[in-house]
Amino acid sequence: MSVMQVSALQPGQVIYQLRGVRYRYHGRHLALDGIDLEISHGEQIALLGANGSGKSTLLKLLDGLLAPEEGYMRALGRDIKAVAAGQETFTFHRQVGLVFQDPDVQLFSATVFDDVAFGPLQLGLPREEVKRRSQEALELMEITHLADRAPFELSGGEKKRAAIASVLSLQPEVILLDEPTASLDPRTKWVLVNLIRRLGEQGKTIVTATHELEIVPLIARRVLVLGEERRILADGQPEEILRDRALLVRANLIHPQLHRSWLLTLESETEPQAPSDAPASSF
Amino acid sequence: MSLRAGDQLGEPTRAGDSPERLALSRQERRQLRHQLGWVEQTLAGVTEAIERAVFTEEHARSPGWLQGLDPRVKLGMFVVTVLAASLSHSLLALLLLYGALLLAARASLLPFDFFVRRVWLGIPFFAGIVILPSIFFTSGGPRLFELVIGPLHLGPTPASLLGAAVFVMRVGDAVSLAVLLILTTRWADLLKSLQVLRVPQIFILLLSMTYRYIFLFLHTVNGFFEARKSRTVGLTSGSEQRTWIVAALVTLMNRSFQMSNEVYAAMCARGFTGTIRTYSDYRLRTGDVLAFLGTALLAIGLFFLGRVIV
């Protein structure tokens, strides 16, 4: 799919550096504390954490929408404080795209097409290029038939697809997804999981915040666990993290009583099942 | 012993809950519904009206004549024709215009009853109230009949009746034109076509976002009322209800403020730097130009007809 252009960044190049990053909302409510992190280009990362653990805040920091209150942070060679203050915002957001948790926030235009075209238009691209990119993003998310519909006419799954299409049309190098599969039916969830995998295979850097453990081995090669103390509790490979029962309980990602059968399944399996490349429609 | 979740559900019914008391509770509930009903019904009505407005986009999507025209041209046709109707003093010219509008509605596959009813159910009432005094407070000319109320001698003359008919017909034509434009044009296209009239893009974007989010917030408020209703089992005082409504307003304001911040962040995340850029794929075709020229000629004709024939 030509939506995904050849990356200007080198695979393995460190694109995010965070040292002792701390963020509080309104100077009072602690959202992140002492975050040390490096992300290289081409990584597919799952950001795990319970509700309120700071996943969305971390994604907003990575997208340059917020600046850390304390600590050092650079993103794609830029000081993130400068980006958040409005400097180099234009070029930064050509490279980094964030899919918000609530699709109603992201779909603010009168029609789905207008929303998908919004990003390319802000880049100042020619009309034909805007149209081509938007149509490709709609095709990729299999929502071409919704192009002229108003966002409030869409179902939850359709809104989610439209929100992702509105970011894909920017053709970003880095894609940040905030709970992309939350509250979705299994088929739509599968479509999104396949999409994230495909984007990863094309060399994109993908950070997916989620607390749905079952999708983690399918979409990520690295897992970061945010604890309820708003710090990174663990950083490792999916198999390693998902088998650490004590860690998952501590991070409030599983409950010993609620997830008994899931834990038994994990213990009995050696390797997680990878999805086939079959298109979602044939599922 | 500590109280656990669900314990209260096991409590036996109190002795005071006699059938008489339960019957009273039902009566109280009815009173309560009556007390809060007007706010809830108004909100439900507004939501329904907006949903109906959205629903009527089904007409805008049908393959009729006006639906196939460029929305900018349609807006131009609307402005020209409303001007002609406003400047015309001839009942015949206005009737002819209404005939043309009915034909346009037919060619645009609008249901005849729906189109006529939507315009004429309210207009005679509202326009009638405005014009009523000028029908009866007349001076000069033979009166058709005379009403004597104390020192006042009232009565309609043929001229006052004709004036009232012209006024009502003019309002009817203007409203029919607006309804025709709205029913045959998608809201998104209508907003974009406002650029032709040099409406600033920021204003169009704000209108579009208002339309987008008012629907969402109306559903939120309806949810508040439903949640309250499902938890209210007794009679609440007027003061309690006012407190609740104010609290609901504050909650809604907070939510809308949070959402506006999030929406702005979402715009910035896609490269928005304060300059509005919109995409429109409209192209003028021969049919659009002919339609506009035809409408302009009709408008000029109606204007001059109004000068020749009363």
Side-chain angles (χ1 to χ4, degrees), chain A residues 38-56:
Chain A
E38 269 192 7
I39 297 175
S40 301
H41 185 46
E43 281 195 293
Q44 286 100 59
I45 299 174
L47 188 58
L48 289 180
N51 294 336
S53 59
K55 301 189 295 292
S56 300

Side-chain angles (χ1 to χ4, degrees), chain B residues 30 45 50 79 101 104 107 142 154 163 200 216 227 283:
Chain B
R30 271 200 296 276
I50 291 180
V79 171
L101 292 179
L154 308 174
L216 192 76
R283 283 194 178 86

Side-chain angles (χ1 to χ4, degrees), chain A residues 60 63 65 89-90 93 96-98 100 102-111 113-124 127-128 130-131 148-153 159 166-167 170, chain B residues 50 54-55 57 61 186-189 191-192 205 208-213 215-216 257-259 261-283:
Chain A
K60 283 181 182 168
D63 195 41
L65 293 173
T89 314
F90 188 74
H93 286 122
V96 185
L98 168 63
F100 284 68
D102 179 2
D104 275 321
V105 160
Q106 202 147 358
L107 304 175
F108 45 77
S109 302
T111 66
F113 185 90
D114 287 344
D115 267 317
V116 177
F118 183 86
L121 278 168
Q122 301 314 307
L123 298 185
R127 270 168 49 90
E128 286 310 309
V130 170
K131 189 176 180 180
D148 288 335
R149 297 266 291 274
F152 52 73
E153 292 179 273
K159 278 184 191 173
S166 72
V167 168
L170 284 163
Chain B
I50 291 180
V54 172
F55 176 72
E57 283 209 345
R61 292 174 205 274
R186 288 167 55 248
W187 184 247
D189 291 330
L191 286 177
K192 277 185 193 170
L205 181 74
S208 154
M209 289 174 84
T210 305
Y211 181 69
R212 160 80 180 90
Y213 286 105
F215 193 70
L216 192 76
F257 182 68
Q258 280 168 10
M259 181 159 257
N261 281 337
E262 287 278 293
V263 169
Y264 181 67
M267 291 170 78
C268 291
R270 281 191 272 158
F272 177 69
T273 50
T275 309
I276 307 285
R277 296 182 181 91
T278 54
Y279 181 89
S280 57
D281 204 12
Y282 305 132
R283 283 194 178 86

Side-chain angles (χ1 to χ4, degrees), chain B residues 226-279:
Chain B
E226 280 169 11
R228 180 184 159 90
K229 196 196 259 181
S230 71
R231 283 178 289 148
T232 306
V233 289
L235 188 66
T236 49
S237 67
S239 157
E240 282 174 322
Q241 288 166 30
R242 282 191 295 277
T243 305
W244 180 79
I245 287 176
V246 169
L249 285 174
V250 170
T251 308
L252 185 69
M253 202 181 79
N254 278 337
R255 280 199 192 181
S256 59
F257 182 68
Q258 280 168 10
M259 181 159 257
S260 65
N261 281 337
E262 287 278 293
V263 169
Y264 181 67
M267 291 170 78
C268 291
R270 281 191 272 158
F272 177 69
T273 50
T275 309
I276 307 285
R277 296 182 181 91
T278 54
Y279 181 89

Side-chain angles (χ1 to χ4, degrees), chain B residues 93-276:
Chain B
L94 292 169
L95 283 169
L96 280 174
L97 175 60
Y98 190 67
L101 292 179
L102 287 179
L103 283 176
R106 193 77 180 167
S108 307
L109 308 177
L110 295 181
F112 185 78
D113 289 358
F114 176 69
F115 177 65
V116 173
R117 221 180 322 124
R118 209 177 158 111
V119 174
W120 290 106
L121 271 183
I123 286 176
F125 179 72
F126 292 107
I129 288 177
V130 174
I131 203 71
L132 202 63
S134 73
I135 296 175
F136 288 95
F137 288 90
T138 51
S139 59
R143 285 184 172 144
L144 299 174
F145 57 87
E146 202 161 89
L147 293 170
V148 180
I149 305 169
L152 290 174
H153 290 253
L154 308 174
T157 62
S160 74
L161 281 178
L162 183 66
V166 167
F167 177 76
V168 171
M169 201 59 220
R170 191 182 289 149
V171 175
D173 278 352
V175 175
S176 297
L177 275 162
V179 168
L180 203 57
L181 178 72
I182 289 166
L183 287 181
T184 59
T185 316
R186 288 167 55 248
W187 184 247
D189 291 330
L190 196 59
L191 286 177
K192 277 185 193 170
S193 61
L194 289 175
Q195 288 175 27
V196 179
L197 302 179
R198 303 283 172 201
V199 177
Q201 287 200 339
I202 186 73
F203 186 73
I204 295 172
L205 181 74
L206 286 176
L207 269 180
S208 154
M209 289 174 84
T210 305
Y211 181 69
R212 160 80 180 90
Y213 286 105
I214 199 166
F215 193 70
L216 192 76
F217 286 124
L218 273 171
H219 274 281
T220 306
V221 176
N222 281 337
F224 288 171
F225 274 90
E226 280 169 11
R228 180 184 159 90
K229 196 196 259 181
S230 71
R231 283 178 289 148
T232 306
V233 289
L235 188 66
T236 49
S237 67
S239 157
E240 282 174 322
Q241 288 166 30
R242 282 191 295 277
T243 305
W244 180 79
I245 287 176
V246 169
L249 285 174
V250 170
T251 308
L252 185 69
M253 202 181 79
N254 278 337
R255 280 199 192 181
S256 59
F257 182 68
Q258 280 168 10
M259 181 159 257
S260 65
N261 281 337
E262 287 278 293
V263 169
Y264 181 67
M267 291 170 78
C268 291
R270 281 191 272 158
F272 177 69
T273 50
T275 309
I276 307 285

